Amino acid sequence: DELRSRGYKIYSMNSASPGLAVFNLYHYIKKNNISLVHAHMSDSTIIAYFACKLAKIPYVVTFHSNQLMPSPSWLQMRLFRLAARKSQAQIAISESVFQKVRSEISDLPNLHTINNGVAAILEDKVGELITARLKRISNGPRLISVGRLVAIKGHEQLLQAVAKLVSTRPGTRLTILGEGDLRTHLENLSRDLALEAYVDFPGAVGNVNEWLAKSDIYLASSIYEGLPIAVAEAMGSGLPVIATDVVGNNDLIIHELT
């Protein structure tokens, strides 16, 4: 909806199979006179390869994660490597992703690193926000985490850590923004850990910057990342960040320095 409000056209292929996705993308390319396709992630890269080959147009690929293809079959990985090599340009969103791609797919003709970027948030008010946080935090910090509610984000471990924290800092509050398949499971886990009074799940929101401004510390509990935009946005808003020491997070964070 946000993209549509900015004038972007959104087309959903609603494909029941990869073959149908290729056909739908090819049809859309021809109907709308598309001259270049930008594919993101593994399945889209394979689909773009076949559709663009049929349409005789170039495509570029962006790699967003150090896990290039989750649980691939031998054939899927072979097709993915072929599709990546045939693209006109390849983009890694961080240096660690660049190195992972280099190790997994040899002979990429035009691989570059273009880091994820975010606009500085509330730049003129950062000092004011930090002062307000220092006054609040003595009563217990307002913690926040933003991301999809899926296993790789490590929310189970995050809740377990907060359960230990509230025993000594009962003023602690945690807000987890986002939606995903694990929402019900995480809400149940929160109840099992007696955290109902301490943890909120507002879901996906459109005003993340406002939530960051009301928080004291950002928590990033991911098991792995590409280059986490949510962490960069938190840092841009002047929030201190506590994060797991994993690839992606440690591309952004220098321990006790940034």
Side-chain angles (χ1 to χ4, degrees):
D1 291 339
E2 181 180 351
L3 290 174
R4 287 191 177 95
S5 70
R6 296 184 180 185
Y8 293 96
K9 294 180 180 179
I10 308 297
Y11 174 71
S12 176
M13 291 186 289
N14 291 322
S15 302
S17 69
L20 185 57
V22 170
F23 173 80
N24 286 342
L25 179 57
Y26 168 76
H27 178 74
Y28 186 86
I29 289 169
K30 302 302 288 186
K31 180 180 178 181
N32 294 277
N33 197 29
I34 302 297
S35 57
L36 176 70
V37 169
H38 187 179
H40 298 260
M41 310 301 285
S42 53
D43 291 342
S44 297
T45 297
I46 295 171
I47 290 166
Y49 164 67
F50 287 106
C52 293
K53 187 176 179 68
L54 290 171
K56 298 180 180 179
I57 65 168
Y59 65 99
V60 298
V61 175
T62 291
F63 302 99
H64 288 266
S65 171
N66 288 279
Q67 188 173 12
L68 301 184
M69 179 173 250
S71 305
S73 67
W74 174 85
L75 178 59
Q76 284 174 316
M77 196 63 198
R78 189 175 181 86
L79 287 173
F80 177 50
R81 288 191 174 110
L82 172 65
R85 291 189 181 107
K86 293 295 183 181
S87 62
Q88 273 55 50
Q90 307 87 36
I91 301 163
I93 64 167
S94 71
E95 182 59 28
S96 61
V97 172
F98 178 95
Q99 296 300 333
K100 179 65 172 180
V101 173
R102 275 286 193 218
S103 68
E104 292 284 335
I105 308 175
S106 61
D107 303 323
L108 286 178
N110 201 13
L111 178 62
H112 303 277
T113 299
I114 301 178
N115 292 321
N116 279 341
V118 296
I121 300 170
L122 305 171
E123 187 173 2
D124 57 335
K125 297 184 178 180
V126 166
E128 176 185 332
L129 291 170
I130 291 174
T131 300
R133 286 165 185 157
L134 290 173
K135 291 179 179 178
R136 286 195 308 257
I137 204 165
S138 60
N139 296 321
R142 298 180 184 179
L143 311 174
I144 188 168
S145 185
V146 183
R148 293 174 296 129
L149 305 185
V150 294
I152 63 170
K153 297 300 183 181
H155 290 113
E156 286 189 1
Q157 293 89 335
L158 177 58
L159 289 173
Q160 291 163 359
V162 169
K164 295 180 180 180
L165 179 61
V166 299
S167 65
T168 57
R169 300 292 294 275
T172 299
R173 298 293 183 271
L174 169 63
T175 299
I176 299 178
L177 300 180
E179 288 288 355
D181 294 341
L182 292 184
R183 175 164 184 162
T184 299
H185 168 70
L186 293 171
E187 288 174 334
N188 291 337
L189 178 60
S190 178
R191 284 192 291 272
D192 292 343
L193 294 170
L195 291 175
E196 299 100 317
Y198 304 98
V199 180
D200 293 317
F201 293 88
V205 301
N207 57 338
V208 173
N209 295 354
E210 295 176 18
W211 288 87
L212 293 175
K214 295 185 293 185
S215 303
D216 302 317
I217 300 172
Y218 186 89
L219 303 179
S221 52
S222 296
I223 297 169
Y224 68 86
E225 282 284 357
L227 192 72
I229 291 177
V231 171
E233 289 177 337
M235 295 171 73
S237 71
L239 271 177
V241 176
I242 299 174
T244 47
D245 185 12
V246 297
V247 170
N249 286 342
N250 55 29
D251 282 324
L252 285 173
I253 299 168
I254 301 173
H255 183 54
E256 296 185 345
L257 183 62
T258 61

